[in-house]
Amino acid sequence: MGDSDRVDGSNHSDDQTVYKKYEIHGGIIFCIELTSTMYRKVTELNHKIQLVEILESLAELMSQLIVTSPNTGIGCYFFQCNKDNSEHGIYEFLPLKDVNAKNMKKLNGLLEDLRFKRATLEEKFPFVPSLDVSLESVLVFLREQFIKEIPNRKA
């Protein structure tokens, strides 16, 4: 075992040394770059809007993960988005957390609002091409979200 795994940081080995235990924790991040074509119907998707197809796929994945891998973190972020609480053109729709009922309800509520035309994708996720958010800045932002300390997570 490497030195970084030792609690006391020493290089010597003895029977009294205590090692840290880590919980392996996976995460899936949906990182969606908004473009003008994301809001259009696509023939190859049976005339479904591309962004709706992505959101429905996310909902399906979440419903499977909550049963098979409930400790999997899942998040959904949009970039090139001018939502009020976006950060430098990056909007955190679903924060990277273990799959949970609250986020599933938020996503399913959005899909229902879209289905019954109580909202539009353009309202929910406003695309602004002039934001010009680089992929590098998105990945740095997402990395910070992934390594962020989460209260009550096992060490």
Side-chain angles (χ1 to χ4, degrees):
M1 219 172 239
D3 295 342
S4 62
D5 297 331
R6 299 173 66 90
V7 172
D8 62 3
S10 66
N11 286 330
H12 67 286
S13 175
D14 60 30
D15 294 334
Q16 303 298 326
T17 303
V18 179
Y19 294 93
K20 294 180 186 179
K21 293 182 182 178
Y22 294 95
E23 178 183 331
I24 297 174
H25 200 83
I28 300 170
I29 298 173
F30 274 60
C31 182
I32 302 165
E33 179 179 12
L34 295 177
T35 64
S36 59
T37 59
M38 296 291 282
Y39 303 93
R40 296 185 197 143
K41 293 180 179 181
V42 177
T43 307
E44 295 89 308
L45 297 174
N46 295 322
H47 302 281
K48 190 181 278 188
I49 296 171
Q50 188 175 1
L51 190 50
V52 171
E53 179 72 17
I54 293 168
L55 293 170
E56 287 175 348
S57 296
L58 175 57
E60 178 66 27
L61 175 64
M62 291 174 79
S63 67
Q64 291 174 7
L65 286 175
I66 203 153
V67 174
T68 60
S69 301
N71 291 329
T72 300
I74 193 156
C76 181
Y77 300 82
F78 293 89
F79 66 105
Q80 306 295 80
C81 187
N82 194 26
K83 190 82 171 172
D84 290 339
N85 54 346
S86 65
E87 190 173 316
H88 307 292
I90 303 168
Y91 172 60
E92 179 182 67
F93 174 59
L94 298 176
L96 182 59
K97 294 183 178 178
D98 287 352
V99 63
N100 60 68
K102 180 181 175 186
N103 284 349
M104 290 177 70
K105 184 176 179 180
K106 180 178 181 177
L107 177 56
N108 287 322
L110 169 67
L111 290 169
E112 185 177 298
D113 286 349
L114 295 171
R115 195 172 307 116
F116 292 108
K117 300 187 186 323
R118 293 185 290 240
T120 66
L121 287 168
E122 291 85 350
E123 293 169 346
K124 294 294 184 177
F125 310 111
F127 165 60
V128 179
S130 62
L131 288 174
D132 197 29
V133 180
S134 72
L135 183 57
E136 179 184 7
S137 62
V138 173
L139 294 175
V140 168
F141 177 84
L142 294 176
R143 179 183 175 278
E144 293 303 314
Q145 300 306 305
F146 192 72
I147 62 174
K148 188 184 336 182
E149 281 293 319
I150 297 175
N152 301 325
R153 180 185 284 173
K154 297 176 188 171

